[in-house]
Amino acid sequence: PLGLRNEDIYSVVFSEVRGQQVIDLHTHLLPPSHGALCLWGIDELLTYHYLVAEYFMTAPANISPEGFYELPKKEQANLIWDALFIQRSPISEATRGVLTTLVALGLDIHVKARDLNGIRKYYDKFREGGFSGTSTFVENVMAISGVRYAIMTNIPFDSTETQHWRPRKKDYPATFRSALRVDPLLAGDKETIEKALRAAGYGTSVADARNYLNEWCDIMQPEYMMASTPHDFMFLAPDNGGGILAGAKKRGLNEDSMKVPFAFADISANECSGCEETDMPTVLNEHSDFLKDCLIKVCEERNLPIALKIGAHRQINPSLLAAGDGMVAFADAASLARLCSAYPKVRFLATFLSRQNQHEACVLANKFRNLHIYGCWWYCNNPSIIEEITKMRVEMLGSAFTAQHSDARVIDQLVYKWAHSRAVIAKVLAEEYQKAISSGWQFNRTEIRRDVSRLLGGAYEEFMGKHLI
Ligand code: RAT
Ligand code: ZN
């Protein structure tokens, strides 16, 4: 027969999803040439901020977050291992991820024996090899996890990072690509922007910021610009000031006007319960300059997309540092629609943190050709939620989206993030193919390979190759 039989679909789809390389389009990984900023190994795995947060849910009262963070990494890792793997069972996604990773690295015997020292010894061998040991380990992980290339997060506003780019860009393998992170520009964080500009010998005008950004684009050669927007980020269409409104709630903008639909309404002083009449325009103008006249301008000139991560509420519990980030904010998706329509030549990649925003995200991707939806981010990066989101995306977008990104911070995490996601993506796809077969279509393996390749990075590359006139 021309097509695969219904009963063969599962095995074909699973083998295709397992066998294809992925493009990991957002990670926090840095290459071995970034020295200590390239994180890998068991102690980094165990102290991943997801696990620190899980640990503190049940940690003894005499262990404060401050005291915990003062301990050497190895001791922090010991505490987490004992609490989450020995005193409790590793059944959460973040703990199970450690198991999947170690077993794939060939440490199943140590895992079964719960032998943390044996695991450490395995890693020590690579550490003893210095830079080349690290490089070998990184190459192994890329191969095991089937990652073609991973896109980094490179922050020009962070001096611990910039030293690896200036005065001379360090070499890194082609399995790493750059993305230039610009959060302060979307948050209107003037203090950080001005500090970075002054430190680099620039003035502090918007034109200076544009030159600064251009200089960093020359250095980093990013695939795209990226930012995680503040939880209450709002963008107003240009005829309403063309600005962004970070801190809108804080500044007293009332809830109803936050929810105004696409054709954005006025935010007049009347709608502003309890805020100073003068607050709003000032905020808009300040912020819009850095967006409109700096970020958007540079993206238009260089044909660079902007990747947005929308809906994280930072520092819910500041004592936990990075582990205290991230209450899930139901975001104003209409702001994304307004961005896409205000700047039709700029391409936007977007992912939302809230499960509640996922349906709207699909609808928007279906409306704007300059928008590409990617990945299941952070609190959505759990198998049950990946399944639900991926199914909805296939139903609404076919294969015109990127199913996943890892957000890995530790090299080794690529192994489990991709293994776990591949299993879910394959299941969803197999079910959707079976439905199409029931409706009368026939598929061959080549077509399935093509579709899988789109979901694992091909759709991203197609979107990146798109020139919007
Ligand atoms: O998922 C995470 O690791 C978060 O802490 C964030 O860093 C997020 O991914 C981001 O890029 O803002
Ligand atoms: Zn991230």
Side-chain angles (χ1 to χ4, degrees):
L2 176 71
L4 291 159
R5 289 176 312 167
N6 205 14
E7 56 269 37
D8 294 332
I9 284 289
Y10 261 81
S11 63
V12 170
V13 172
F14 272 77
S15 88
E16 286 302 326
V17 172
R18 218 179 297 122
Q20 289 204 32
Q21 284 197 311
V22 303
I23 295 170
D24 196 337
L25 77 78
H26 167 70
T27 74
H28 296 263
L29 301 177
L30 292 165
S33 52
H34 274 54
L37 297 180
C38 170
L39 304 182
W40 60 282
I42 185 64
D43 294 335
E44 295 296 346
L45 277 178
L46 289 172
T47 54
Y48 185 31
H49 70 82
Y50 294 24
L51 288 173
V52 173
E54 191 174 330
Y55 168 73
F56 270 107
M57 291 194 305
T58 55
N62 63 345
I63 301 188
S64 68
E66 294 76 14
F68 174 85
Y69 283 119
E70 272 167 19
L71 295 173
K73 260 279 155 66
K74 187 171 171 183
E75 285 176 39
Q76 295 177 13
N78 287 344
L79 285 175
I80 293 184
W81 174 260
D82 184 61
L84 300 183
F85 293 77
I86 306 299
Q87 305 304 328
R88 288 167 189 266
S89 295
I91 50 176
S92 69
E93 172 63 8
T95 51
R96 186 172 72 92
V98 176
L99 310 180
T100 304
T101 304
L102 297 175
V103 169
L105 292 172
L107 299 172
D108 44 328
I109 293 174
H110 299 301
V111 169
K112 284 209 179 73
R114 304 179 183 189
D115 171 16
L116 183 54
N117 282 334
I119 295 168
R120 286 211 170 101
K121 281 198 188 114
Y122 161 85
Y123 280 104
D124 285 346
K125 277 198 242 109
F126 290 99
R127 292 246 177 250
E128 284 154 15
F131 178 78
S132 86
T134 304
S135 301
T136 308
F137 181 76
V138 171
E139 275 168 36
N140 290 351
V141 168
M142 292 278 184
I144 294 170
S145 37
V147 173
R148 181 144 77 86
Y149 58 88
I151 300 180
M152 308 177 274
T153 298
N154 304 116
I155 314 173
F157 301 99
D158 180 345
S159 55
T160 52
E161 284 200 27
T162 51
Q163 54 175 324
H164 296 283
W165 298 90
R166 271 209 299 218
R168 197 179 58 81
K169 175 186 164 192
K170 292 194 181 147
D171 284 339
Y172 54 81
T175 42
F176 290 87
R177 294 199 187 178
S178 167
L180 200 160
R181 185 137 180 171
V182 293
D183 292 36
L185 295 180
L186 276 102
D189 178 0
K190 275 196 141 179
E191 206 185 308
T192 305
I193 301 169
E194 288 179 2
K195 198 169 148 210
L197 288 174
R198 279 200 204 95
Y202 284 85
T204 54
S205 70
V206 175
D208 289 314
R210 204 163 55 228
N211 293 338
Y212 179 80
L213 210 52
N214 266 313
E215 187 193 341
W216 277 105
C217 286
D218 290 339
I219 298 172
M220 290 176 169
Q221 296 293 321
E223 293 255 312
Y224 54 72
M225 307 286 209
M226 74 150 302
S228 162
T229 56
H231 68 280
D232 49 4
F233 171 84
M234 285 190 82
F235 169 75
L236 312 182
D239 51 359
N240 279 294
I244 46 176
L245 190 54
K249 275 188 190 156
K250 252 183 285 152
R251 283 162 214 271
L253 182 64
N254 82 20
E255 293 282 329
D256 289 341
S257 50
M258 298 282 288
K259 288 189 200 119
V260 281
F262 174 60
F264 194 72
D266 358 270
I267 300 186
S268 65
N270 306 341
E271 287 176 299
C272 224
S273 53
C275 68
E276 291 291 322
E277 212 166 300
T278 50
D279 270 5
M280 219 53 70
T282 321
V283 175
L284 291 178
N285 293 337
E286 264 178 24
H287 290 200
S288 67
D289 290 349
F290 286 116
L291 179 75
K292 245 187 6 259
D293 302 329
C294 177
L295 181 60
I296 295 283
K297 275 265 162 11
V298 174
C299 287
E300 281 174 346
E301 280 162 19
R302 306 181 83 109
N303 195 25
L304 277 177
I306 303 175
L308 297 174
K309 299 178 87 68
I310 305 170
H313 200 140
R314 301 288 166 181
Q315 292 297 280
I316 294 304
N317 180 353
S319 69
L320 289 180
L321 305 182
D325 272 353
M327 194 163 78
V328 178
F330 177 58
D332 171 46
S335 284
L336 179 59
R338 289 191 288 273
L339 275 170
C340 291
S341 90
Y343 305 111
K345 286 189 206 147
V346 177
R347 286 158 300 156
F348 294 90
L349 295 137
T351 194
F352 284 86
L353 190 57
S354 167
R355 191 175 173 186
Q356 268 74 2
N357 279 122
Q358 303 303 329
H359 184 245
E360 276 172 295
C362 288
V363 176
L364 293 184
N366 181 258
K367 298 298 150 227
F368 293 100
R369 62 198 305 194
N370 58 338
L371 175 62
H372 184 80
I373 297 296
Y374 72 96
C376 304
W377 177 27
W378 197 348
Y379 296 104
C380 285
N381 196 353
N382 293 308
S384 62
I385 304 180
I386 300 170
E387 181 169 342
E388 146 191 324
I389 294 177
T390 308
K391 193 179 267 256
M392 177 164 63
R393 287 175 177 171
V394 172
E395 286 174 349
M396 294 177 73
L397 308 172
S399 55
F401 69 97
T402 300
Q404 194 51 305
H405 68 283
S406 75
D407 233 312
R409 287 174 179 261
V410 179
I411 300 278
D412 330 21
Q413 287 169 342
L414 289 175
V415 175
Y416 93 81
K417 299 256 187 184
W418 282 106
H420 290 191
S421 290
R422 281 181 206 260
V424 181
I425 294 164
K427 177 173 182 279
V428 170
L429 265 185
E431 285 165 6
E432 297 308 313
Y433 282 125
Q434 286 187 330
K435 288 184 204 159
I437 290 172
S438 311
S439 298
W441 199 252
Q442 293 198 310
F443 295 93
N444 60 40
R445 193 171 191 127
T446 314
E447 290 165 336
I448 291 179
R449 181 166 298 171
R450 175 200 61 196
D451 299 345
V452 169
S453 136
R454 283 212 162 96
L455 294 189
L456 299 182
Y460 164 75
E461 287 196 328
E462 281 170 352
F463 183 75
M464 296 298 281
K466 208 177 208 178
H467 286 256
L468 297 167
I469 308 141

